[in-house]
Amino acid sequence: MQHTTKKYRHNHLLHALLESSLNDLDKEFIFSARDSKSISYLEFFNSVEQLSAALIEAGIAPGDRIAAQVPKSVEALELYLASILAGAVFLPLNTAYTVEEVVYFLTDAEPLIFVCDSNRQDEMTAATKASGVRHLWTLSENGQGSLSEAKNDQKPGFEGITRSSTDLAAILYTSGTTGRSKGAMLSHAALVSNATTLCNYWHFGKQDRLIHALPIFHTHGLFVATNCVLMSSSSMIFLNRFEVDGIIKHMPDATVLMGVPTFYQRLLNHPDLSRASKSMRLFISGSAPLLEDTHLQWLENTGHAILERYGMTETNMNTSNPYSGERRAGTVGFALPGIRVIVADPQTGDSIPKGETGSIEVYGENLFSGYWRMPEKTAEEFRENGLFITGDLGRFDEDGYLHIVGRSKDLIISGGYNIYPKEIESLIDKIEGVAESAVIGVRHADLGEAVIAIVVVKSGQILNEATILAALSEKLARFKQPRRVEITDELPRNTMGKIQKNELRTRYNEILYS
Ligand code: MCA
Ligand code: AMP
């Protein structure tokens, strides 16, 4: 067993994440629920070093991208850290994406290696060829595949490739309001600064044990959860998927849970919640608005006020309710230390007084470095003074708590996943016989919002919900596919000819849920 190489002195992110664990490498890092097995920091990072050496042997050079669309597993998490250690840029993809969607990301990001789910190897071989990616590796849910074979050929001891604070660590794609997904480039410094801030603000320490039930292809599960655990030298109970019984089972051995509001809503229905949560220290929610009602029911049931925070792929976490002090339901708290958050006049970018609603804008080391190969799009979303325009609308209340009151971007958040209507509308509009369409989010008790499409059919053509859904099924990830398609004669427009989505939302919220 080697204890000497875990300093990764010249790799900005890994050095910062592992520094506090150096004297305690035999401590548990992960309890894998899949195998009921505890894995120490030493064991995990020995594996990371082996995998990193395999990536280098395959030809990875500093700055090369490594894309992964793999089921959640401890081995998939190793791939994230091994990519960083190898000096590469990690590019995780939602497991729900179709081949067509994957081809776009591979073509745009040009990774040297793409790791896919072993179960999808055939279709992804075609995707890899179509996008010119050099190596296709596989990884299954139970950790098997060509990636693991390549790793097992190597020995631990690889000390890592030099990467500085401004080098890129990851690219995470966010769907775009114009329909084309944009790759948010995240530097080592942005990830280090946010992990440091969150660990301190949320009082993470060695004694913590986090229940990790989030996907690891988004900021929430990949960076907020994992990096906080690593940086505080604590440990996590790693579940391969969200499942109410699994969380309740592990809660008595845990201290922290991070989740999207749907987690909390579903957990509230479990009869053992109150008993299981007794030893918990902290419940954190984010990615979508937590209903005041859920906050209050949780408090009544468990005695804990859920701590709600607010972030974005482009910015990491921006605000949080306080650790000590009132966690105010329906708000996302205060700007985190070192981060400037203002509510601005959307036209001028000037700060507006408390109580007034405006554009939420952010500045800090936590910000991304721009969109991959899209300098114009990047420029559009920054003010001249460097503030990033989030596209969210909010107001500060009298006590300085930030309330998110809406979005200036046309976005649906369903179960914590972002869905851009434009992407779906463009596909529906291409279906033969469709005159036009509008995609909106309607209230949904479990997911917060659910996608529905309202479609106008050309005269003389016959189309129904089933034919439209069938036409979308191969093109769109399942979570983006409309739950309902309503056929209508015309869409409401304002005097400028713009479709009135607010009117549609009011109309269909009433029709569907009254
Ligand atoms: C699954 N389905 C969904 C969603 N998830 N449909 C709409 N919205 C969703 N979020 C569909 C599936 O396609 C399937 O459809 C059916 O629902 C059941 O699928 P299953 O996998 O069983 O669903 P589940 O396990 O119950 O998943 C629901 C979930 C999951 C646990 C809420 O979506 C989830 O883990 N969400 C977290 C997302 C997240 O981490 N967001 C952070 C990104 P069918 O049966 O019809 O085939 S945002 C971020 O990172 C920012 C920075 C931030 O602030 O945090
Ligand atoms: P993403 O682009 O997937 O990173 O999602 C970021 C978006 O999620 C933000 O711009 C917000 O619209 C939304 N979001 C994140 N956290 C919260 C929260 N606590 N309350 C309301 N919206 C949130």
Side-chain angles (χ1 to χ4, degrees):
M1 286 278 203
Q2 307 213 22
H3 279 78
T4 49
T5 60
K6 308 288 182 285
K7 292 199 173 77
Y8 313 133
R9 215 184 282 285
H10 303 292
N11 189 289
H12 189 73
L13 175 58
L14 277 184
H15 180 67
L17 290 179
L18 264 213
E19 210 175 356
S20 70
S21 304
L22 282 176
N23 297 323
D24 207 1
L25 286 170
D26 291 321
K27 183 178 186 294
E28 175 184 88
F29 168 44
I30 289 184
F31 176 80
S32 164
R34 180 188 73 191
D35 313 314
S36 292
K37 187 178 152 204
S38 180
I39 302 165
S40 70
Y41 273 83
L42 185 68
E43 288 166 318
F44 184 85
F45 278 93
N46 277 346
S47 253
V48 167
E49 290 172 7
Q50 287 175 264
L51 182 51
S52 197
L55 296 172
I56 298 285
E57 194 170 286
I60 284 292
D64 279 347
R65 276 76 58 212
I66 296 174
Q69 189 196 32
V70 287
K72 186 178 176 185
S73 67
V74 172
E75 294 76 9
L77 198 69
E78 286 171 11
L79 178 59
Y80 153 48
L81 293 154
S83 302
I84 307 291
L85 192 63
V89 179
F90 187 56
L91 195 171
L93 293 169
N94 192 320
T95 47
Y97 288 147
T98 62
V99 175
E100 207 163 299
E101 288 169 311
V102 168
V103 168
Y104 168 76
F105 297 117
L106 297 183
T107 310
D108 193 52
E110 299 184 300
L112 187 89
I113 299 175
F114 173 44
V115 187
C116 77
D117 183 348
S118 308
N119 287 332
R120 298 182 74 188
Q121 187 174 5
D122 288 346
E123 52 179 346
M124 290 307 167
T125 302
T128 308
K129 284 207 180 100
S131 42
V133 173
R134 183 151 8 130
H135 301 290
L136 176 67
W137 286 1
T138 56
L139 182 63
S140 71
E141 186 160 13
N142 57 11
Q144 306 297 310
S146 56
L147 176 115
S148 299
E149 286 160 22
K151 174 179 89 177
N152 293 335
D153 287 343
Q154 304 290 331
K155 291 199 166 47
F158 181 66
E159 292 189 32
I161 296 294
T162 301
R163 291 275 85 187
S164 71
S165 57
T166 52
D167 285 322
L168 295 188
I171 297 178
L172 264 61
Y173 275 83
T174 71
S175 305
T177 38
T178 52
R180 260 192 87 199
S181 282
K182 300 171 285 185
M185 301 189 287
L186 295 154
S187 68
H188 281 236
L191 299 183
V192 169
S193 95
N194 216 234
T196 311
T197 304
L198 297 178
C199 272
N200 291 334
Y201 204 75
W202 294 339
H203 293 212
F204 264 82
K206 274 183 192 291
Q207 72 296 341
D208 273 314
R209 222 162 169 233
L210 172 105
I211 300 179
H212 194 306
L214 288 157
I216 51 170
F217 43 72
H218 278 308
T219 295
H220 198 165
L222 189 63
F223 303 137
V224 182
T226 309
N227 291 354
C228 263
V229 169
L230 279 168
M231 194 167 252
S232 59
S233 199
S234 54
S235 71
M236 58 183 162
I237 299 169
F238 203 68
L239 308 179
N240 284 9
R241 59 182 52 80
F242 172 80
E243 202 237 318
V244 169
D245 286 338
I247 293 197
I248 295 288
K249 177 179 145 197
H250 289 290
M251 233 182 233
D253 302 319
T255 59
V256 184
L257 174 69
M258 287 186 192
V260 297
T262 304
F263 281 24
Y264 292 102
Q265 274 150 227
R266 291 187 186 176
L267 284 164
L268 271 172
N269 294 326
H270 199 286
D272 291 343
L273 174 64
S274 167
R275 186 187 50 76
S277 58
K278 288 227 167 344
S279 61
M280 289 289 283
R281 174 176 79 78
L282 183 60
F283 292 97
I284 302 174
S285 176
S287 309
L290 182 78
L291 294 177
E292 225 169 307
D293 208 37
T294 312
H295 182 101
L296 296 175
Q297 281 185 47
W298 194 270
L299 183 59
E300 196 175 283
N301 223 292
T302 67
H304 287 276
I306 298 173
L307 182 153
E308 187 170 4
R309 56 65 177 173
Y310 158 64
M312 275 182 89
T313 303
E314 288 91 332
T315 63
N316 295 289
M317 300 304 102
N318 298 314
T319 74
S320 170
N321 268 281
Y323 186 79
S324 314
E326 185 195 354
R327 296 176 194 162
R328 193 167 286 185
T331 83
V332 293
F334 309 110
L336 284 160
I339 300 174
R340 185 164 171 233
V341 178
I342 66 164
V343 171
D345 177 323
Q347 256 70 50
T348 62
D350 295 336
S351 247
I352 58 176
K354 275 184 184 166
E356 288 181 20
T357 296
S359 152
I360 301 177
E361 307 193 357
V362 183
Y363 183 79
E365 240 192 319
N366 53 315
L367 291 189
F368 72 135
S369 318
Y371 294 113
W372 173 255
R373 293 179 180 164
M374 285 188 180
E376 292 88 12
K377 288 257 173 274
T378 304
E380 275 168 25
E381 298 193 20
F382 279 92
R383 300 271 179 205
E384 270 175 13
N385 59 9
L387 269 93
F388 174 69
I389 305 166
T390 63
D392 292 309
L393 301 174
R395 71 177 163 82
F396 285 112
D397 66 20
E398 272 310 295
D399 303 314
Y401 287 81
L402 181 64
H403 298 236
I404 298 179
V405 297
R407 304 168 199 139
S408 59
K409 54 196 174 193
D410 190 10
L411 164 72
I412 299 166
I413 305 185
S414 175
Y417 287 146
N418 281 15
I419 300 167
Y420 279 87
K422 181 77 189 156
E423 183 186 0
I424 307 170
E425 288 159 2
S426 311
L427 291 172
I428 297 178
D429 293 349
K430 285 194 193 123
I431 299 172
E432 204 169 329
V434 168
E436 60 173 349
S437 64
V439 168
I440 56 168
V442 293
R443 280 192 299 276
H444 190 279
D446 181 43
L447 298 169
E449 288 182 288
V451 177
I452 70 160
I454 299 115
V455 177
V456 179
V457 177
K458 283 181 185 155
S459 72
Q461 302 275 342
I462 300 172
L463 273 179
N464 60 23
E465 180 172 38
T467 47
I468 291 171
L469 289 178
L472 295 177
S473 67
E474 294 288 299
K475 298 189 180 298
L476 271 182
R478 184 77 191 92
F479 71 90
K480 297 182 202 166
Q481 292 175 27
R483 299 252 158 170
R484 290 276 287 270
V485 178
E486 300 282 325
I487 308 287
T488 188
D489 293 337
E490 64 176 332
L491 296 173
R493 291 180 186 280
N494 64 13
T495 47
M496 310 287 288
K498 194 169 179 283
I499 296 170
Q500 301 285 74
K501 288 207 168 174
N502 277 340
E503 196 178 318
L504 286 173
R505 275 187 281 269
T506 310
R507 191 189 295 171
Y508 286 98
N509 270 324
E510 277 167 18
I511 292 176
L512 294 172
Y513 293 100
S514 55

